[in-house]
Amino acid sequence: MNLDIVIMAAGKGTRMKSKLPKVLHKLAGRALLGHVLHTAAQLKPRSVILITGHGAPEVIAFSADSVPANSPFSLKTVLQEPQLGTGHAVQQAVPELGDEGISLILSGDVPLTQMDTLQALVTQCAGQQIALLTIEPADPTGYGRIVREGDAVKAIVEHKDASEAQKQIREIYSGIMALPTHLLKRYLSLLDNNNAQKEFYLTDVIKHAVADGTAVAALKITDAAQVAGVNSPAQLQELEREYQKRAAYKLMEQGVRIADAARFDLRGDLACGQDVSIDVGCVFEGRVWLGDEVQIGAHCVLANCTIARGVVIHPFTHIDGGKEGATVGAGALIGPFARLRPGAQLGEEVHIGNFVEVKNSTLAKGAKANHLAYLGDATVGERVNYGAGSITANYDGANKHRTVIEADVHVGSNCVLVAPVTLGAGGTIGGGSTITKDTPAGALSVARGKQVSIADWKRPTKKK
Ligand code: UD1
Ligand code: MG
């Protein structure tokens, strides 16, 4: 059956105390709404209808960016202005909803609902009845209570409208329901705002359904994180930690050793080989791949990179491959305090030490830059040794140029290699040289003032 997903995202999010619309705040590096859209897409809907209000331009721009034009479902946005409650919100979607099919109602601020849970809810609806996702939280205060007679669901009563007896009910409505669209439309048209909040409640759909003889089923789950909404920075942080704990345990189940699940952060996708270990305080962003036996030291940030078998990354290393990516070859040693930028392609057994920056450069097997150096737009041959304090001057103020350092070259300390320039294989560059011309293979090249000593040099003295 055709599935149309309605995502409510018009609310203000007052308690976030932020200029950014609530649904654009990030959890695990992705906007709350991004999580919901991602899960929605997995359900293969016919359409997704996003209800916007507060911050509509930003929310619409974000959703257009995250749902590609060639996506198999259509994304429609509608404006709810003013916001008169959840029922009023869904009423705005009615013109966009085809009569046949099932509507699934979600909220843009509930990021961690799992696809299979929603699939089960849609299956329970079966195009015939209303299926509510419910839960029994430790504290039901503030939520809509599921009122039953025997087993049958009779109504959802909002906390502010509930009698003392109804407030004792533990089962609450999660905010998520699936129902046949033609029934949704019929009951939405019957809503009024005669209640404590003077709002049009989506939850009043239930009493109209019951009066109409439509069956209402409840799918009760126990995993609170799946239906937890974000209303405040504290709740966002709590859900973030829950997400990260789950991500860490999932990796540990695959054999990854994580020193502390509470000090692990994944903001993207991390794939690991066998016997990978990750020390405390590391952050992984974008797409990161760690090969067998990779060791990541404490407090490293790794983004968009591929790290081959047996690499050791020492503490406080920052790798960000950006759009081009960065690769580190098998057995390489990186850090501590190393920085690899987009286009860094390091071969096997390369050593990159402290305070060394590598950008858009290829280093062949066994090349070493162990201290305080910059390699930008360089092609570095096998076994090259690149001295402390040396840099490639790759930028002339307008254009970038390449430096080629052939195999077995030794670059002394504090050299400036002014690109474009090629250092011939096996050559040696004397420390402190500013190299502006190509150097021949095998030779010692020195480009600096000659050392002189003045024997009878008198130091200046202060006049009295
Ligand atoms: C709602 C339910 C309540 C349930 C709870 C679960 C109603 C009347 N009550 O309560 O039974 O236990 O969720 O969290 O539905 N929104 C709009 N436009 C509006 C109002 C809200 O788009 O005019 C959006 C909000 O941005 C939010 C979602 O709808 O994403 C839910 O709104 P919220 O105010 O949080 O619902 P509650 O009153 O908490
Ligand atoms: Mg409300």
Side-chain angles (χ1 to χ4, degrees), residues 149-396:
E149 263 175 41
D151 260 357
V153 175
K154 289 292 167 191
I156 301 173
V157 178
E158 293 305 305
H159 183 90
K160 286 180 180 156
D161 300 288
S163 65
E164 281 312 311
Q166 287 168 332
K167 281 182 185 156
Q168 302 308 309
I169 299 172
R170 293 271 316 281
E171 186 183 9
I172 61 118
Y173 171 52
S174 67
I176 296 173
M177 69 169 86
L179 70 175
T181 301
H182 71 279
L183 296 180
L184 172 66
K185 289 186 177 181
R186 187 189 305 167
Y187 306 140
L188 279 177
S189 71
L190 303 175
L191 297 184
D192 61 55
N193 64 351
N194 300 326
N195 53 53
Q197 301 184 79
K198 297 280 171 274
E199 285 182 7
F200 295 89
Y201 292 161
L202 177 63
T203 43
D204 279 351
V205 157
I206 304 308
K207 72 177 185 205
H208 294 300
V210 169
D212 196 31
T214 298
V216 181
L219 176 64
K220 203 199 285 184
I221 60 167
T222 52
D223 181 7
Q226 284 201 48
V227 294
V230 171
N231 295 299
S232 66
Q235 285 174 350
L236 180 59
Q237 184 272 161
E238 282 161 20
L239 218 49
E240 172 83 38
R241 289 331 307 164
E242 185 59 37
Y243 177 96
Q244 296 302 348
K245 193 171 104 189
R246 289 173 188 212
Y249 274 86
K250 206 167 151 194
L251 287 161
M252 288 190 282
E253 269 165 36
Q254 295 161 19
V256 179
R257 261 98 70 194
I258 293 179
D260 183 357
R263 286 180 287 171
F264 168 85
D265 283 87
L266 175 58
R267 299 173 190 159
D269 298 308
L270 173 61
C272 295
Q274 202 171 24
D275 285 313
V276 167
S277 68
I278 299 170
D279 209 337
V280 300
C282 293
V283 180
F284 299 89
E285 297 175 344
R287 284 183 180 278
V288 176
W289 189 84
L290 306 179
D292 292 349
E293 288 149 42
V294 165
Q295 298 173 37
I296 310 289
H299 304 290
C300 291
V301 177
L302 271 66
N304 300 306
C305 56
T306 300
I307 313 295
R309 179 187 198 103
V311 170
V312 179
I313 301 194
H314 292 291
F316 300 101
T317 290
H318 186 206
I319 302 179
D320 184 0
K323 285 200 182 84
E324 292 158 68
T327 57
V328 178
L333 304 179
I334 312 294
F337 299 101
R339 180 174 186 210
L340 306 184
R341 293 173 52 202
Q345 293 185 300
L346 313 188
E348 291 175 23
E349 288 155 42
V350 162
H351 292 187
I352 297 294
N354 39 244
F355 308 108
V356 174
E357 175 183 351
V358 180
K359 184 219 79 174
N360 192 30
S361 293
T362 306
L363 278 71
K365 183 174 180 180
K368 295 186 172 77
N370 272 325
H371 337 258
L372 301 166
Y374 175 56
L375 280 162
D377 303 305
T379 304
V380 179
E382 293 191 358
R383 296 172 301 278
V384 163
N385 198 313
Y386 193 76
S390 290
I391 65 151
T392 54
N394 56 324
Y395 184 52
D396 62 14

Side-chain angles (χ1 to χ4, degrees), residues 16 18 20-32 35 109 111-112 228-244:
M16 291 303 290
S18 169
L20 190 68
K22 177 167 77 173
V23 294
L24 299 188
H25 281 266
K26 284 184 177 167
L27 182 140
R30 178 187 253 163
L32 297 174
H35 286 272
D109 57 0
L112 301 188
V230 171
N231 295 299
S232 66
Q235 285 174 350
L236 180 59
Q237 184 272 161
E238 282 161 20
L239 218 49
E240 172 83 38
R241 289 331 307 164
E242 185 59 37
Y243 177 96
Q244 296 302 348

